[in-house]
Amino acid sequence: MIKYENFTLENLPQINTVAQFENHSKSVVYYYNVECGFDIETSSTMLNEQKFAFMYEWTFGIKDKNFICYGRTWEQFIELCEKLQEQFELDENNRLIVYVHNLSYEFQFMRKYFEWVNVFAVDDRKPIKALTTYGIEFRDSYILSGYSLGKLAENLVTHKIKKLVGDLDYKKVRTFETELTTQELDYCNNDVEIILYYINEQIEQYGDITKIPLTNTGRVRKFVKDNCLHYNKTNHKKEGIGGKIRRYRELMNECVLTPTQYTMLKRCFMGGFTHASMKHVCKLHKNVSSIDFTSSYPYVMLSEKFPMSKPVKIDVRTVDFWELVNDENVGLMFDCKIEGLHAKNTFESYLSESKCFDVVNATINNGRIFECDELKTTITDIDLRIIKQCYNYDKISVTNCYKFYMQYLPKQILLSILDLYGAKTTLKGVEGKEVEYLLKKGMLNSVYGMCVTDIVRGEITYNETWDKTQITPDLINEQIDKYNTSKNRFLYYPWGVWVTAYARKNLWTGILNIGDDYIYSDTDSIKLLNYEKHLDFIKWYNSDVERKLKLMCEFRKIDFDLCKPKTIKGIEKLIGVWDYEGCYTRFKTLGAKRYMYEENGKIHITIAGLSKQNGVKYMVEKCNGDNTKVFEMFNDNLYIPPEYTGKNTHTYIDDEMSGKVTDYKGKTSYIKSLSSIHLSDCDFTLSISKQYNTFLIMLKEGYLFTGNKHI
């Protein structure tokens, strides 16, 4: 890596351009088909008792490791941009894409140094594409890959490189005048080299740089869309399939929504179920088994029926409501009021307090409603079936009820899912297929997410400051109309709502059958005691998975063998079944997203807001390697000091700041920063809420009842 002033592109091999039509500008744009990467290093300190942050080193690379340079100021980087603009004759229609791993961070430091032609963001302060007047377009490789830089390096196939760790102490204050060691410069070089290698593999995978999607979810959207609307790799409609396209568009024309119905669906939508058994929380258990579903969301998309019509309002006074609830060819969404609600079982509660309103006199089980005098909520028929299984109630009143016609998803979507699942299964561990395996695995994990993308979103704009369009009734009407009439639409928002509802139903089938041995669940997995005692249930459930998949395959005329591809060892892997993950020597949970387990003598933790590696390391060191003491330490009011959490507090500084800063070597420099992000270590305290603690005490002392049975 050389200094930017000595950087030359004279020996750079000739680079071709590729053309792409841009919808935003309605013009053809040419892109240089080459990998480029950019990264910065920053310092955070205090200036006049105020948080202050600034960039002290930047690294840029193009093509490969032979063309990487570095500089120390933004002015130097702008000079490089001017050199690149001149060398490649860049402008708005002739661009060079430069990837940044976590662009939102770098953008906050650099945004006031450039003029921006267009910034595309997914949320406030989260740009994923930003075009400068130099013709340089910055893109986010983190959102594209979904991996940290270290994990990205591990998953490279044609290039072998590891992210350097510990060679640059971020706690030491450096300025642009601080001399950097060879080791520190190697660290900076390494980060950009990883980006270059990753984008090189992406170009090879997709054919050219214009075909690389902006986001990880974008990969699967394009793949499924091409299958549904029958596009080939050159993006031209295939010959002789006009009838299939017409029928698919006729389906989309039928699957439309009004603004009121969309708003109601948003109220209906719930994610995965994550919770701890009220019977076992805060207790240490030995020999705890773990089971999980094989690709839970993709499985329900294959095996279940989904809304295939516009919602039709019905008067529940004129129909047999419960007959409709139990009809697999009918889907319902409705508002309801439930009175006299009370838990049936002794171990778990289903209804989320955050999804209910007008709740009267409730007892709350860590965010879930254990009992109440009255509540109102918006749910699907699937949710109502679960509620009937786990609660008693005095009365339920239904209003604003809508009916959907239900059927299996279109064959093109089913085949797309089976293609991805098959590739993930058959390519795992196959030498030479690592890139394709990782790609298909990531796409399969994203296939559900594309179904619940919000139809109505406020536009995020950047013009020196961030601004988000306010969502008004007019905007909702406009975007819903655009959604309904789009000829490129291949998805229907209710599908995503029902995907998670079906997945919760499957998970709760396990929770209710496992009963008092159930300890913890998280979306697609269950931790339980006495695994062997529940083998009959697992066997029954898995056989029912096979039955349901066969029904779908028979209806859609799909080869059932696609549902059970073989691994490299020739073992069939049926999608959707319960898989045995293993047995933990010890397990303890303090609530949702808070658990610790011991496996093969090693402690592991999952605690929301705490680094898995750093948190465990501190606790093990604090307890001198005694795992028993570590489990005792994992309790209410667990405290992890800031230097051990692995987490930072991000403070956005939007105003220009300047002043004298002394680096860790004692050298003082005058620093100006137009905008920045200050990072500081944050501590972590795990505390059980007062409300949850009261619930557990009442439960322990016998003040809570389930059904007619005293706990």
Side-chain angles (χ1 to χ4, degrees):
M1 184 168 69
I2 62 173
K3 292 182 179 180
Y4 90 99
E5 54 261 42
N6 300 323
F7 185 61
T8 178
L9 298 172
E10 290 180 2
N11 297 322
L12 188 70
Q14 185 174 349
I15 301 168
N16 296 324
T17 59
V18 285
Q20 184 182 54
F21 181 79
E22 186 180 67
N23 287 323
H24 177 75
S25 62
K26 303 299 180 185
S27 62
V28 175
V29 176
Y30 292 89
Y31 290 91
Y32 281 91
N33 194 34
V34 64
E35 56 271 30
C36 296
F38 178 69
D39 186 49
I40 67 172
E41 299 300 337
T42 67
S43 280
S44 294
T45 186
M46 300 298 290
L47 182 67
N48 300 324
E49 299 184 351
Q50 289 185 305
K51 291 181 177 180
F52 184 44
F54 51 88
M55 183 274 293
Y56 66 82
E57 191 278 345
W58 57 261
T59 309
F60 171 82
I62 182 171
K63 185 62 179 174
D64 56 43
K65 63 182 181 181
N66 297 313
F67 297 94
I68 298 178
C69 68
Y70 73 97
R72 307 300 299 275
T73 68
W74 284 116
E75 289 75 17
Q76 292 172 349
F77 182 61
I78 290 170
E79 285 183 33
L80 177 67
C81 291
E82 291 171 346
K83 183 186 292 187
L84 292 169
Q85 183 181 38
E86 181 180 356
Q87 174 80 20
F88 293 106
E89 299 180 347
L90 302 177
D91 56 34
E92 291 182 30
N93 295 312
N94 197 42
R95 304 178 191 174
L96 183 70
I97 297 175
V98 177
Y99 280 91
V100 182
H101 211 68
N102 193 13
L103 177 59
S104 60
Y105 184 77
E106 268 80 357
F107 189 82
Q108 174 64 8
F109 283 87
M110 68 197 290
R111 62 187 179 86
K112 291 187 179 181
Y113 288 94
F114 293 90
E115 289 184 48
W116 302 96
V117 177
N118 181 40
V119 176
F120 177 66
V122 292
D123 206 344
D124 187 30
R125 298 187 185 275
K126 291 187 178 179
I128 59 175
K129 182 171 73 169
L131 174 63
T132 73
T133 52
Y134 291 107
I136 294 173
E137 183 176 289
F138 294 97
R139 293 192 182 183
D140 195 330
S141 53
Y142 175 68
I143 289 180
L144 170 64
S145 66
Y147 291 124
S148 66
L149 208 53
K151 184 63 68 175
L152 192 67
E154 291 176 15
N155 288 326
L156 292 172
V157 177
T158 56
H159 303 86
K160 297 300 179 184
I161 187 172
K162 288 185 178 180
K163 175 163 172 43
L164 300 180
V165 178
D167 293 330
L168 194 66
D169 186 349
Y170 288 99
K171 295 178 182 178
K172 292 181 178 179
V173 175
R174 299 174 177 83
T175 73
F176 69 96
E177 292 186 313
T178 305
E179 185 177 348
L180 300 178
T181 66
T182 300
Q183 187 180 35
E184 290 170 337
L185 288 172
D186 285 345
Y187 179 94
C188 300
N189 181 91
N190 178 261
D191 283 0
V192 168
E193 204 170 325
I194 293 170
I195 296 172
L196 293 180
Y197 289 157
Y198 173 64
I199 300 304
N200 174 265
E201 292 187 359
Q202 293 298 293
I203 292 174
E204 290 293 320
Q205 183 75 33
Y206 283 95
D208 70 61
I209 202 163
T210 67
K211 295 183 175 64
I212 301 174
L214 283 177
T215 66
N216 199 26
T217 305
R219 300 177 194 272
V220 72
R221 284 186 68 89
K222 185 179 186 305
F223 172 72
V224 180
K225 179 180 177 181
D226 286 353
N227 287 340
C228 290
L229 301 181
H230 300 278
Y231 286 91
N232 64 17
K233 291 182 179 179
T234 58
N235 213 36
H236 294 300
K237 294 170 192 174
K238 295 179 181 177
E239 296 294 330
I241 54 172
K244 291 182 179 180
I245 297 173
R246 186 174 62 253
R247 286 193 294 274
Y248 202 96
R249 284 182 175 159
E250 287 173 353
L251 171 63
M252 291 294 100
N253 289 337
E254 174 61 23
C255 293
V256 294
L257 300 167
T258 67
T260 299
Q261 293 161 355
Y262 171 67
T263 303
M264 192 170 182
L265 282 163
K266 293 279 288 181
R267 295 201 306 272
C268 267
F269 174 72
M270 289 187 278
F273 182 89
T274 302
H275 217 238
S277 165
M278 56 192 176
K279 181 177 180 179
H280 296 294
V281 71
C282 299
K283 297 177 182 178
L284 178 64
H285 292 281
K286 295 182 179 180
N287 300 320
V288 174
S289 296
S290 179
I291 57 175
D292 73 342
F293 291 123
T294 305
S295 301
S296 174
Y297 286 170
Y299 160 69
V300 298
M301 293 178 76
L302 292 171
S303 62
E304 304 289 356
K305 294 181 177 180
F306 291 86
M308 289 293 158
S309 68
K310 62 184 177 184
V312 176
K313 195 166 188 178
I314 60 173
D315 186 346
V316 294
R317 296 170 298 180
T318 63
V319 297
D320 187 331
F321 176 73
W322 292 107
E323 184 178 340
L324 291 176
V325 168
N326 295 313
D327 187 341
E328 67 172 19
N329 295 314
V330 172
L332 301 173
M333 70 169 177
F334 49 89
D335 294 321
C336 65
K337 179 171 73 173
I338 307 177
E339 300 172 59
L341 186 79
H342 195 90
K344 280 184 181 180
N345 63 65
T346 62
F347 43 84
E348 193 54 279
S349 310
Y350 177 70
L351 281 166
S352 173
E353 182 185 17
S354 65
K355 299 299 292 187
C356 301
F357 52 96
D358 293 343
V359 181
V360 179
N361 195 26
T363 301
I364 306 300
N365 172 15
N366 195 25
R368 302 280 169 177
I369 296 179
F370 174 79
E371 63 182 1
C372 69
D373 290 346
E374 182 178 305
L375 66 78
K376 294 175 184 175
T377 187
T378 306
I379 56 176
T380 69
D381 54 300
I382 309 298
D383 296 302
L384 183 57
R385 288 183 223 165
I386 300 171
I387 290 168
K388 280 178 65 65
Q389 288 181 290
C390 56
Y391 291 103
N392 291 316
Y393 53 84
D394 296 334
K395 183 181 179 182
I396 181 167
S397 306
V398 174
T399 187
N400 296 329
C401 185
Y402 288 88
K403 177 176 73 171
F404 294 90
Y405 164 68
M406 306 291 278
Q407 191 48 271
Y408 295 114
L409 291 175
K411 186 175 182 178
Q412 299 92 321
I413 291 182
L414 300 175
L415 288 174
S416 298
I417 296 170
L418 289 169
D419 184 324
L420 295 172
Y421 178 68
K424 172 197 170 186
T425 305
T426 58
L427 297 177
K428 186 176 183 179
V430 178
E431 188 175 351
K433 294 291 185 180
E434 296 88 349
V435 172
E436 190 177 351
Y437 163 72
L438 289 169
L439 178 68
K440 299 294 186 181
K441 178 183 177 182
M443 289 171 68
L444 181 69
N445 293 338
S446 300
V447 75
Y448 147 74
M450 67 181 183
C451 296
V452 286
T453 302
D454 279 347
I455 300 173
V456 180
R457 289 175 290 176
E459 183 182 3
I460 309 294
T461 57
Y462 175 78
N463 185 14
E464 296 187 358
T465 59
W466 291 102
D467 187 37
K468 186 173 184 178
T469 306
Q470 185 177 358
I471 297 178
T472 62
D474 286 344
L475 180 65
I476 294 174
N477 290 334
E478 177 188 332
Q479 294 201 10
I480 291 292
D481 182 65
K482 184 178 178 181
Y483 172 85
N484 288 338
T485 57
S486 172
K487 291 185 177 181
N488 289 318
R489 181 164 64 90
F490 64 102
L491 297 168
Y492 191 31
Y493 185 78
W495 295 349
V497 176
W498 259 260
V499 167
T500 54
Y502 282 128
R504 291 192 301 274
K505 181 199 71 172
N506 291 341
L507 184 72
W508 266 83
T509 300
I511 291 171
L512 292 169
N513 276 276
I514 292 167
D516 287 339
D517 285 335
Y518 155 77
I519 296 178
Y520 184 86
S521 63
D522 189 348
T523 307
D524 62 354
S525 67
I526 288 178
K527 318 300 182 188
L528 69 151
L529 297 168
N530 303 314
Y531 171 73
E532 291 76 15
K533 191 173 82 174
H534 304 287
L535 284 174
D536 285 344
F537 157 70
I538 293 171
K539 184 178 179 180
W540 166 82
Y541 181 89
N542 290 349
S543 66
D544 197 53
V545 166
E546 183 174 357
R547 177 189 67 82
K548 292 169 75 172
L549 287 169
K550 283 181 175 178
L551 286 174
M552 177 277 294
C553 287
E554 182 180 354
F555 183 85
R556 287 295 188 204
K557 295 181 172 54
I558 292 174
D559 183 359
F560 175 66
D561 285 344
L562 296 175
C563 299
K564 50 175 186 175
K566 294 181 179 179
T567 66
I568 189 175
K569 296 180 180 180
I571 301 171
E572 288 184 348
K573 295 287 287 185
L574 183 66
I575 191 170
V577 296
W578 281 115
D579 252 355
Y580 178 69
E581 282 192 307
C583 184
Y584 306 140
T585 310
R586 286 182 277 192
F587 181 91
K588 184 178 182 181
T589 178
L590 303 181
K593 297 293 184 184
R594 296 176 173 188
Y595 63 86
M596 171 181 287
Y597 63 94
E598 180 184 52
E599 190 173 33
N600 299 322
K602 188 175 180 180
I603 298 287
H604 303 266
I605 61 168
T606 293
I607 304 176
L610 182 65
S611 163
K612 292 184 178 183
Q613 290 77 21
N614 294 41
V616 165
K617 183 179 178 182
Y618 170 77
M619 295 174 73
V620 171
E621 289 178 357
K622 190 76 172 175
C623 297
N624 297 316
D626 187 331
N627 286 359
T628 298
K629 290 183 178 179
V630 175
F631 274 97
E632 291 172 356
M633 184 180 179
F634 180 57
N635 222 320
D636 191 19
N637 294 320
L638 167 69
Y639 177 76
I640 308 292
E643 60 269 29
Y644 294 100
T645 63
K647 297 292 182 180
N648 288 315
T649 297
H650 290 58
T651 303
Y652 284 84
I653 303 171
D654 291 321
D655 297 326
E656 178 181 330
M657 293 181 68
S658 61
K660 292 182 179 180
V661 174
T662 302
D663 69 11
Y664 77 99
K665 293 183 176 181
K667 185 172 184 177
T668 301
S669 305
Y670 179 80
I671 306 294
K672 181 172 73 172
S673 183
L674 301 187
S675 58
S676 61
I677 299 175
H678 181 278
L679 301 179
S680 57
D681 293 336
C682 60
D683 60 3
F684 176 84
T685 301
L686 189 156
S687 59
I688 296 174
S689 71
K690 184 178 180 180
Q691 182 191 61
Y692 189 31
N693 193 50
T694 300
F695 173 83
L696 294 175
I697 291 172
M698 291 173 67
L699 185 70
K700 182 179 179 180
E701 294 182 356
Y703 289 104
L704 296 179
F705 298 83
T706 56
N708 296 317
K709 179 183 175 183
H710 184 262
I711 295 180

